[in-house]
């Protein structure tokens, strides 16, 4: 493709993208396709010769769009938001053109250096304790991971390496395998599935602890679990505090867990994947009380801060253990500046990495902190608007507290009834929600997701939910 | 940012990108900045209000470019190539706009379905055995991982889960920890650092075996290592065959290793991260002889097949073990179609994933197989051109065989002399190379990397190497 064609095609694509996004409300949020729908629409082999651009553009609507779940539609209320914005797309174009792999400083100094500065900018926006920031000149610093799953795993591996080293000093005769078999980590029973996966990957036991009536993991519960485990000769080494669970956006008591973790020399990792973006607004920072007691902190600007996936930002108070956890250092990756600048390959699971900090840079500068705060506040206000609508209808109840952009609710009555309702809502496909469950209570999750979402969308979605509720309740009473 | 501004800015960016790439030869390939260069160029905090687009565009040259190592310059010969192309950038724009997270089929059916079809297209382009392809209707299939590191780890975890299960059936009284402590894996001592890292991550022993005089791991060597380990009560479970090592692009004897692995029930993973792209050309497929004996195969279109990072394609003959290795299944991720279509979240380490298959689709269609073959063949021809130049100068010798786009060479003489030469070459910054070492022999790696690279660039680089050689040898003789 010659450069002039690229410029023409980029124009076409920008036109298509704006048309898609600005009119996304008109599309059915959930597709109606069946598994395997695409195979008959495509040839069974790659073309030998180049195809025409116009055919490819035409195939987007013919082949791709019928199978897209429109995450950026204001009618999408499933999971949590995933970020999307024009500034991020522009930055990604540049990233795709420079296309450097920033595994070491020398492999592209700009890629590393801007990441360091952006993580400092962002850390200051959240008012993180200065120990986490590279600009403090200590052992701390930030890095962009691909996902929160990877951040949880990286912190776990750092904690594991640290504890093995400590134990070996006390018991030089214990083998590494013996020590590992005694290691035990803690999280809330409401923590994300990726926390459990990190435990499986790291080959260590994870205790999923009970929560209080507000679905928060408390310090006492953790202290008691640690006490019991130590009695049995086990070695507590790692805990994850979730700020904003996926299940119902509950916040663990970081302040209490922090005291216990520090006392017991347990690495405390904070998973604020979704809710972390809200901490750019001072009024929500009470929810991260105790952050100064944590060892690592992670949230996803690619969820709620308008930076396209993947951009999961992580800060560590002391990098040493993570960096030393995998001391694999071949000659072809060595360089003269080692030690005077971060080599991010030591901070992550993969070796390769894209130039992702550009997305942060563009989004922070083209929105400005004020507009990002406005975005978060608007989602939270819309969630409260939806909460009020639910509370105004005596057939419904709210599950848990509405603190962020997520409202958990259910029809008073059986789980089965709520399952039928959700199936009906998603079957109609006008809006999209997913369910969750705590203990034996099944409920519906309503997340405000789209950057286009406005009050009128909340009203629309509520109207749709009421319509489907009426249908379901009518059928239920007829069948009795 | 309103849609009209986005269209204007995308036009600016396309203009900048083409200008950057089409004139990339004029830039110094290696930057001259020092660690910490960027901090004084940027404010210490994010801006409160939005900034102007023109200021951001101006900052690309002021802040970013002085610190970029230009991986796509024809003067860049370090590491291995990383891919970059206009079609991939266009696809990424679309991916950034749709911005779905394809962790399950229902989360965006198109994202999963096109990945299945693209991995079949690509598998056929490489003439992979049909057991690896989803279209064969068996237990096999392909997936896009972020990096080869992750593919190696995923295969290792699948192999580990499989072997633990097998051993538990024979020895129900053995604990999982006991079994894990006996597990042992194998690779060549020339394998990539990420293989060693996968062993560390998976918490298992990795034996790095000796290679023959052509730097290949042989079947007999592996068989002997397995025999010794079994004698000691250990349990061999996993082996990695590297096709195209990073050190000097050597190819393990997959055919021999395959026979041993199959006989010993050891999972055989093939890491063809760089060289795999060459298998789209029939004349290079002799190098993957024995592929039908492997359990998993991985290569990186994001290295040598013009698909921007990240796109590391992996095929498995039997998905069962990988999928079951991390059976974590929360309600909010369940859906009605489970089982009738792949849920890619079970195939990978992270939960989230971008819509990466679009890049493959655009690149395969806009280049066509013929032009991708032409690209690979041209790089290999240029490597042979460089090899001939080296051989024409009696001061130099070639290390290993030139089979792909990499030439390993050195000045006849001491390692120190070659280290001085490399330092001089990179110090001048007109071209960029990295070194490698096998046993005690230090040498220089010359990789043909850029899609813009032509014969004239090879001639330029060789002239530069000769110039620096003359300087170094002259100084050496003066100092004697």
């Amino acid at each position: 493709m010659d450069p002039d064609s690229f410029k023409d095609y980029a124009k076409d694509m920008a036109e298509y993208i704006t048309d898609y996004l600005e009119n996304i409300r008109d599309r059915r949020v959930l597709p109606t396709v069946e598994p395997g729908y695409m195979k008959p629409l495509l040839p069974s082999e790659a073309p030998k010769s180049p195809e025409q651009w116009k055919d490819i553009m035409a195939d987007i609507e013919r082949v791709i769009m019928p199978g897209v779940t429109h995450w950026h539609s204001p009618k999408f209320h499933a999971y949590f938001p995933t970020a999307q914005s024009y500034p991020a797309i522009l930055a990604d174009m540049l990233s795709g053109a420079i296309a450097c792999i920033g595994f070491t400083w020398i492999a592209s100094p700009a890629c590393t250096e801007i990441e360091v500065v952006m993580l400092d900018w962002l850390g200051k926006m959240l008012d993180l304790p200065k120990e986490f920031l590279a600009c403090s000149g200590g052992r701390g610093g930030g890095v962009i991971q691909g996902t929160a799953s990877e951040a949880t795993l990286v912190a776990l591996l750092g904690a594991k390496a640290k504890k093995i080293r400590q134990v070996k000093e006390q018991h030089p005769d214990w083998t590494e395998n013996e020590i590992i078999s005694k290691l035990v980590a803690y999280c809330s029973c409401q923590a994300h599935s990726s926390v459990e996966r990190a435990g499986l990957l790291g080959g260590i036991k994870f205790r999923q602890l009970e929560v209080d009536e507000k679905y928060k993991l408390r310090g006492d519960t953790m202290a008691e679990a640690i006490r019991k485990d130590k009695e049995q000769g086990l070695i507590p080494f790692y805990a994850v505090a979730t700020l904003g669970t996926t299940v119902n956006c509950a916040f663990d008591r970081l302040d209490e867990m922090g005291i216990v973790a520090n006392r017991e020399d347990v690495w405390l990792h904070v998973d604020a994947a979704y809710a972390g973006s809200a901490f750019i607004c001072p009024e929500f920072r009470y929810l991260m009380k105790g952050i100064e007691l944590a060892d690592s902190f992670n949230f996803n600007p690619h969820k709620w801060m308008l930076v396209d996936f993947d951009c999961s930002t992580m800060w560590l108070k002391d990098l040493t253990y993570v960096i030393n956890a995998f001391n694999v250092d071949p000659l072809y990756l060595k360089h003269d500046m080692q030690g005077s600048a971060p080599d991010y390959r030591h901070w992550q699971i993969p070796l390769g990495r894209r130039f992702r900090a550009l997305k942060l840079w563009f989004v922070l500068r083209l929105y400005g902190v004020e507009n990002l705060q406005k975005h978060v506040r608007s989602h939270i206000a819309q969630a409260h608007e939806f909460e009020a609508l639910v509370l105004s209808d005596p057939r419904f109840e709210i599950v848990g507290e509405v603190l962020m952009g997520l409202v958990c609710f259910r029809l008073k009555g059986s789980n089965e009834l709520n399952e039928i309702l959700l199936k009906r809502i998603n079957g109609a496909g006008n809006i999209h929600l997913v369910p969750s469950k705590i203990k034996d209570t099944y409920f519906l999750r309503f997340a405000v997701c789209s950057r286009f979402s406005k009050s009128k969308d909340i009203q629309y979605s509520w109207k749709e939910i009421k319509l489907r509720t009426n249908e379901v309740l009518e059928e239920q009473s007829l069948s009795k």
Side-chain angles (χ1 to χ4, degrees), chain A residues 231-337:
Chain A
E231 258 181 30
Q232 303 221 348
L234 296 179
I235 306 168
F237 81 108
Y238 183 59
V240 176
T242 307
L243 300 185
T245 60
T246 306
V247 173
N248 72 336
C249 207
F251 289 74
D252 288 339
R253 282 294 294 267
L254 176 57
D255 52 346
E256 297 179 359
M257 290 174 70
I259 292 169
V260 177
N262 287 191
R263 188 181 66 212
E264 300 286 350
D265 202 5
V266 159
W267 181 302
L268 184 59
H269 176 68
V270 179
D271 172 7
Y274 162 67
S277 295
F279 303 147
I280 63 172
C281 305
E283 69 270 30
F284 300 117
R285 282 186 204 140
Y286 74 96
L287 291 165
M288 65 166 185
K289 195 180 154 197
I291 185 66
E292 69 285 357
L293 303 169
D295 296 282
S296 48
F297 174 80
N298 165 244
F299 86 101
N300 293 347
H302 73 227
K303 278 203 164 65
W304 202 9
M305 223 190 72
L306 299 170
V307 184
D308 276 60
F309 189 90
D310 47 346
C311 181
S312 179
T313 46
M314 178 187 197
W315 290 263
L316 294 144
K317 238 186 216 166
D318 184 346
L319 305 164
T320 324
Y321 297 101
V322 163
I323 291 175
N324 291 341
F326 305 105
N327 196 358
V328 173
D329 212 13
L331 183 60
Y332 48 80
L333 293 178
K334 281 191 197 294
H335 60 93
D336 292 345
M337 298 299 182

Side-chain angles (χ1 to χ4, degrees), chain A residues 101-291:
Chain A
I101 303 294
F103 40 51
T104 58
W105 182 84
I106 193 67
S108 217
C111 180
T112 297
E113 301 243 337
I114 199 167
E115 191 161 329
V116 173
V117 178
M118 286 306 104
L119 272 279
D120 275 351
W121 277 20
L122 194 53
K124 287 178 187 173
M125 283 168 63
L126 270 66
D127 201 23
L128 286 185
K130 68 175 190 329
E131 291 82 356
F132 285 108
L133 307 184
C135 60
S136 73
R139 291 182 172 187
V143 62
I144 301 177
Q145 303 284 357
T147 60
S149 314
E150 287 160 81
T152 308
L153 179 59
V154 164
L156 180 145
L157 295 168
K160 186 177 162 187
K162 182 181 177 183
K163 189 57 80 181
I164 289 173
R165 199 167 154 171
Q166 285 175 348
V167 176
K168 279 216 159 193
E169 275 170 21
Q170 291 162 8
H171 306 278
D173 52 319
W174 291 9
T175 68
E176 203 152 297
N177 263 311
E178 273 177 286
I179 300 169
I180 290 169
S181 71
K182 292 180 203 288
L183 292 179
V184 55
Y186 307 89
C187 65
S188 143
C189 59
Q190 303 296 307
H192 191 260
S193 54
S194 58
V195 177
E196 191 182 338
R197 266 175 77 118
L200 286 167
L201 277 161
I204 56 91
K205 276 179 283 298
F206 234 114
R207 299 242 186 274
Q208 300 181 312
L209 306 177
E210 282 306 308
V211 290
D212 71 7
E213 74 292 349
K214 285 189 168 177
Y215 314 104
K216 294 168 185 291
L217 176 54
R218 304 297 298 262
D220 285 350
T221 310
M222 180 169 145
E224 178 60 15
I226 289 177
R227 191 189 60 74
K228 279 192 189 160
D229 281 331
K230 283 165 73 178
E231 258 181 30
Q232 303 221 348
L234 296 179
I235 306 168
F237 81 108
Y238 183 59
V240 176
T242 307
L243 300 185
T245 60
T246 306
V247 173
N248 72 336
C249 207
F251 289 74
D252 288 339
R253 282 294 294 267
L254 176 57
D255 52 346
E256 297 179 359
M257 290 174 70
I259 292 169
V260 177
N262 287 191
R263 188 181 66 212
E264 300 286 350
D265 202 5
V266 159
W267 181 302
L268 184 59
H269 176 68
V270 179
D271 172 7
Y274 162 67
S277 295
F279 303 147
I280 63 172
C281 305
E283 69 270 30
F284 300 117
R285 282 186 204 140
Y286 74 96
L287 291 165
M288 65 166 185
K289 195 180 154 197
I291 185 66

